[in-house]
CSV table of all heavy atoms in Angstrom, one decimal:
chain,number,residue,atom,x,y,z
A,294,ALA,N,-84.2,-4.9,-17.6
A,294,ALA,CA,-84.2,-6.1,-16.7
A,294,ALA,C,-82.8,-6.4,-16.2
A,294,ALA,O,-82.6,-6.7,-15.0
A,294,ALA,CB,-84.8,-7.3,-17.4
A,330,PHE,N,-78.4,-11.3,-22.7
A,330,PHE,CA,-78.2,-10.4,-21.5
A,330,PHE,C,-77.6,-11.2,-20.4
A,330,PHE,O,-77.6,-12.4,-20.4
A,330,PHE,CB,-79.5,-9.7,-21.1
A,330,PHE,CG,-80.5,-10.6,-20.5
A,330,PHE,CD1,-80.6,-10.7,-19.1
A,330,PHE,CD2,-81.4,-11.4,-21.3
A,330,PHE,CE1,-81.6,-11.5,-18.5
A,330,PHE,CE2,-82.3,-12.2,-20.7
A,330,PHE,CZ,-82.4,-12.3,-19.3
A,352,ILE,N,-79.3,-13.3,-9.6
A,352,ILE,CA,-80.0,-14.0,-10.7
A,352,ILE,C,-81.3,-14.6,-10.1
A,352,ILE,O,-82.4,-14.5,-10.8
A,352,ILE,CB,-79.2,-15.1,-11.3
A,352,ILE,CG1,-78.0,-14.5,-12.1
A,352,ILE,CG2,-80.0,-16.0,-12.2
A,352,ILE,CD1,-77.0,-15.5,-12.5
A,353,LYS,N,-81.3,-15.2,-8.9
A,353,LYS,CA,-82.4,-15.9,-8.5
A,353,LYS,C,-83.4,-15.1,-7.6
A,353,LYS,O,-84.6,-15.5,-7.5
A,353,LYS,CB,-82.0,-17.1,-7.6
A,353,LYS,CG,-81.1,-18.1,-8.4
A,353,LYS,CD,-80.9,-19.4,-7.8
A,353,LYS,CE,-80.3,-19.4,-6.4
A,353,LYS,NZ,-79.9,-20.7,-5.9
A,355,PRO,N,-84.1,-11.3,-7.7
A,355,PRO,CA,-84.3,-9.9,-8.0
A,355,PRO,C,-85.7,-9.5,-7.6
A,355,PRO,O,-86.6,-10.3,-7.7
A,355,PRO,CB,-84.1,-9.8,-9.5
A,355,PRO,CG,-84.5,-11.1,-10.0
A,355,PRO,CD,-84.0,-12.1,-9.0
A,357,PHE,N,-87.1,-6.2,-8.5
A,357,PHE,CA,-87.7,-5.3,-9.4
A,357,PHE,C,-88.6,-4.3,-8.7
A,357,PHE,O,-89.8,-4.2,-9.1
A,357,PHE,CB,-88.4,-6.0,-10.5
A,357,PHE,CG,-87.6,-7.0,-11.3
A,357,PHE,CD1,-88.0,-8.3,-11.5
A,357,PHE,CD2,-86.4,-6.6,-11.8
A,357,PHE,CE1,-87.1,-9.2,-12.2
A,357,PHE,CE2,-85.6,-7.5,-12.5
A,357,PHE,CZ,-85.9,-8.8,-12.7
A,415,ASP,N,-94.9,-5.8,-14.3
A,415,ASP,CA,-95.4,-7.1,-14.7
A,415,ASP,C,-94.7,-7.5,-16.0
A,415,ASP,O,-94.3,-8.7,-16.2
A,415,ASP,CB,-96.9,-7.0,-14.9
A,415,ASP,CG,-97.6,-7.0,-13.6
A,415,ASP,OD1,-97.0,-7.3,-12.6
A,415,ASP,OD2,-98.8,-6.6,-13.6
A,416,GLY,N,-94.5,-6.6,-16.9
A,416,GLY,CA,-93.8,-6.9,-18.2
A,416,GLY,C,-92.4,-7.3,-18.0
A,416,GLY,O,-91.9,-8.3,-18.6
A,417,ILE,N,-91.7,-6.6,-17.0
A,417,ILE,CA,-90.3,-7.0,-16.7
A,417,ILE,C,-90.2,-8.4,-16.1
A,417,ILE,O,-89.4,-9.2,-16.5
A,417,ILE,CB,-89.7,-5.9,-15.8
A,417,ILE,CG1,-89.5,-4.6,-16.5
A,417,ILE,CG2,-88.3,-6.4,-15.3
A,417,ILE,CD1,-89.1,-3.4,-15.6
A,418,LEU,N,-91.1,-8.7,-15.2
A,418,LEU,CA,-91.1,-10.0,-14.5
A,418,LEU,C,-91.4,-11.1,-15.5
A,418,LEU,O,-90.7,-12.1,-15.5
A,418,LEU,CB,-92.2,-10.0,-13.4
A,418,LEU,CG,-91.8,-9.3,-12.1
A,418,LEU,CD1,-93.0,-9.2,-11.2
A,418,LEU,CD2,-90.7,-10.1,-11.4
A,419,ASN,N,-92.3,-10.9,-16.4
A,419,ASN,CA,-92.6,-11.9,-17.4
A,419,ASN,C,-91.5,-12.1,-18.4
A,419,ASN,O,-91.1,-13.3,-18.7
A,419,ASN,CB,-93.9,-11.5,-18.2
A,419,ASN,CG,-95.2,-11.6,-17.4
A,419,ASN,OD1,-95.3,-12.3,-16.5
A,419,ASN,ND2,-96.2,-10.8,-17.8
A,420,TYR,N,-90.8,-11.0,-18.8
A,420,TYR,CA,-89.7,-11.2,-19.7
A,420,TYR,C,-88.6,-11.9,-19.0
A,420,TYR,O,-88.0,-12.8,-19.5
A,420,TYR,CB,-89.2,-9.8,-20.2
A,420,TYR,CG,-88.0,-9.9,-21.1
A,420,TYR,CD1,-88.2,-10.0,-22.5
A,420,TYR,CD2,-86.7,-9.9,-20.6
A,420,TYR,CE1,-87.2,-10.0,-23.4
A,420,TYR,CE2,-85.6,-10.0,-21.5
A,420,TYR,CZ,-85.9,-10.0,-22.9
A,420,TYR,OH,-84.8,-10.1,-23.7
A,421,TYR,N,-88.3,-11.5,-17.7
A,421,TYR,CA,-87.2,-12.1,-17.0
A,421,TYR,C,-87.4,-13.5,-16.7
A,421,TYR,O,-86.5,-14.4,-16.9
A,421,TYR,CB,-87.0,-11.3,-15.7
A,421,TYR,CG,-85.8,-11.7,-14.9
A,421,TYR,CD1,-84.5,-11.2,-15.2
A,421,TYR,CD2,-85.9,-12.6,-13.8
A,421,TYR,CE1,-83.4,-11.6,-14.5
A,421,TYR,CE2,-84.8,-13.0,-13.1
A,421,TYR,CZ,-83.5,-12.5,-13.5
A,421,TYR,OH,-82.4,-12.9,-12.8
A,422,ASP,N,-88.6,-13.9,-16.3
A,422,ASP,CA,-88.9,-15.3,-16.0
A,422,ASP,C,-88.8,-16.2,-17.2
A,422,ASP,O,-88.4,-17.3,-17.1
A,422,ASP,CB,-90.2,-15.4,-15.3
A,422,ASP,CG,-90.3,-14.9,-13.9
A,422,ASP,OD1,-89.2,-14.7,-13.3
A,422,ASP,OD2,-91.4,-14.6,-13.4
A,423,SER,N,-89.1,-15.6,-18.4
A,423,SER,CA,-89.1,-16.4,-19.6
A,423,SER,C,-87.7,-16.7,-20.1
A,423,SER,O,-87.5,-17.8,-20.7
A,423,SER,CB,-89.9,-15.6,-20.7
A,423,SER,OG,-91.2,-15.4,-20.4
A,424,PHE,N,-86.8,-15.8,-19.8
A,424,PHE,CA,-85.4,-16.0,-20.4
A,424,PHE,C,-84.3,-16.3,-19.4
A,424,PHE,O,-83.2,-16.6,-19.8
A,424,PHE,CB,-85.1,-14.7,-21.2
A,424,PHE,CG,-86.0,-14.5,-22.4
A,424,PHE,CD1,-87.0,-13.6,-22.3
A,424,PHE,CD2,-85.8,-15.3,-23.5
A,424,PHE,CE1,-87.9,-13.5,-23.4
A,424,PHE,CE2,-86.7,-15.2,-24.6
A,424,PHE,CZ,-87.7,-14.2,-24.5
A,425,THR,N,-84.6,-16.4,-18.1
A,425,THR,CA,-83.6,-16.9,-17.2
A,425,THR,C,-83.8,-18.4,-16.9
A,425,THR,O,-83.7,-18.8,-15.7
A,425,THR,CB,-83.7,-16.0,-15.9
A,425,THR,OG1,-85.0,-16.0,-15.4
A,425,THR,CG2,-83.2,-14.6,-16.1
A,426,GLN,N,-84.2,-19.1,-17.9
A,426,GLN,CA,-84.4,-20.6,-17.8
A,426,GLN,C,-83.0,-21.3,-17.8
A,426,GLN,O,-82.1,-20.8,-18.5
A,426,GLN,CB,-85.3,-21.1,-18.9
A,426,GLN,CG,-86.7,-20.4,-18.9
A,426,GLN,CD,-87.4,-20.8,-17.6
A,426,GLN,OE1,-87.4,-21.9,-17.1
A,426,GLN,NE2,-88.1,-19.8,-17.1
A,427,PRO,N,-82.9,-22.4,-17.1
A,427,PRO,CA,-81.6,-23.1,-17.1
A,427,PRO,C,-81.1,-23.5,-18.5
A,427,PRO,O,-79.9,-23.4,-18.8
A,427,PRO,CB,-81.9,-24.4,-16.3
A,427,PRO,CG,-83.1,-24.0,-15.4
A,427,PRO,CD,-83.9,-23.0,-16.2
A,429,LEU,N,-81.3,-21.8,-21.2
A,429,LEU,CA,-80.9,-20.6,-21.9
A,429,LEU,C,-79.7,-20.0,-21.2
A,429,LEU,O,-79.3,-18.9,-21.5
A,429,LEU,CB,-82.0,-19.6,-22.0
A,429,LEU,CG,-83.3,-20.1,-22.6
A,429,LEU,CD1,-84.4,-19.0,-22.6
A,429,LEU,CD2,-83.1,-20.6,-24.0
A,455,LYS,N,-85.3,-25.6,-12.0
A,455,LYS,CA,-86.2,-26.3,-12.8
A,455,LYS,C,-86.6,-25.6,-14.1
A,455,LYS,O,-86.7,-24.3,-14.1
A,455,LYS,CB,-87.5,-26.6,-12.0
A,455,LYS,CG,-87.3,-27.6,-10.9
A,455,LYS,CD,-88.6,-27.9,-10.2
A,455,LYS,CE,-88.3,-28.9,-9.0
A,455,LYS,NZ,-89.6,-29.2,-8.3
A,456,GLN,N,-86.7,-26.3,-15.2
A,456,GLN,CA,-87.0,-25.7,-16.4
A,456,GLN,C,-88.5,-25.4,-16.5
A,456,GLN,O,-89.3,-26.3,-16.3
A,456,GLN,CB,-86.6,-26.6,-17.6
A,456,GLN,CG,-86.9,-26.1,-19.0
A,456,GLN,CD,-85.9,-25.0,-19.3
A,456,GLN,OE1,-84.7,-25.1,-19.0
A,456,GLN,NE2,-86.4,-24.0,-20.0
A,457,ALA,N,-88.9,-24.1,-16.7
A,457,ALA,CA,-90.3,-23.8,-16.9
A,457,ALA,C,-90.8,-24.2,-18.3
A,457,ALA,O,-90.0,-24.3,-19.2
A,457,ALA,CB,-90.5,-22.3,-16.7
A,459,THR,N,-91.8,-22.9,-20.9
A,459,THR,CA,-91.9,-21.7,-21.7
A,459,THR,C,-91.4,-21.9,-23.1
A,459,THR,O,-90.3,-22.3,-23.3
A,459,THR,CB,-91.1,-20.6,-21.0
A,459,THR,OG1,-91.6,-20.4,-19.7
A,459,THR,CG2,-91.2,-19.3,-21.8
Side-chain angles (χ1 to χ4, degrees):
F330 70 97
I352 290 172
K353 297 192 309 191
F357 301 129
D415 288 342
I417 293 171
L418 282 169
N419 289 334
Y420 182 90
Y421 187 82
D422 290 342
S423 296
F424 294 101
T425 53
Q426 299 298 319
L429 305 179
K455 294 183 179 180
Q456 181 74 38
T459 303

